[in-house]
Amino acid sequence: MIRVIEQNEFPQTTNVEGIAVINMKFNTSASHKNPKSSASTSRYSVLVSASNYGTVISPLRYQSTASDQMKEEGKMIFQIGLWPNE
């Protein structure tokens, strides 16, 4: 499934430094083999597109992230850069 976050979906998609803050809920799971609850971040990718800069898509994480770690840190930082089109 692909969820597109439109430019106007948030009051300000990026600030003057090009930073966007997006709140996202992740499914969590645990199993007998891995009893610690984890957020299933490995199924998500980030696609960034901007006028005059092109488009980049990159996986959010290759492995799931422990739920308690995400709660403790309070955020997941993801850096991506775009190069201007000529």
Side-chain angles (χ1 to χ4, degrees), residues 28-40 42 63-68:
T28 59
S29 63
S31 67
H32 180 53
K33 184 178 176 183
N34 297 310
K36 192 173 188 178
S37 178
S38 295
S40 302
S42 61
Q63 296 179 343
S64 294
T65 305
S67 300
D68 58 351

Side-chain angles (χ1 to χ4, degrees), residues 5 11 15 21 28-30 37 41-42 44 47-48 58 72 74-75 79 84-85:
I5 298 172
N15 64 18
V21 177
T28 59
S29 63
S37 178
T41 56
S42 61
Y44 291 83
L47 182 144
V48 178
S58 182
E72 182 181 317
K75 60 187 170 187
Q79 295 180 335
N85 289 338

Side-chain angles (χ1 to χ4, degrees), residues 62-82:
Y62 291 104
Q63 296 179 343
S64 294
T65 305
S67 300
D68 58 351
Q69 176 187 345
M70 289 180 72
K71 287 178 184 176
E72 182 181 317
E73 293 174 4
K75 60 187 170 187
M76 180 186 299
I77 296 174
F78 183 84
Q79 295 180 335
I80 194 165
L82 297 176

Side-chain angles (χ1 to χ4, degrees), residues 14-64:
T14 59
N15 64 18
V16 294
E17 296 168 338
I19 297 172
V21 177
I22 299 169
N23 292 315
M24 184 74 186
K25 292 182 180 180
F26 295 99
N27 293 327
T28 59
S29 63
S31 67
H32 180 53
K33 184 178 176 183
N34 297 310
K36 192 173 188 178
S37 178
S38 295
S40 302
T41 56
S42 61
R43 298 176 134 188
Y44 291 83
S45 292
V46 175
L47 182 144
V48 178
S49 180
S51 298
N52 301 321
Y53 284 87
T55 301
V56 173
I57 187 166
S58 182
L60 184 59
R61 300 270 182 169
Y62 291 104
Q63 296 179 343
S64 294

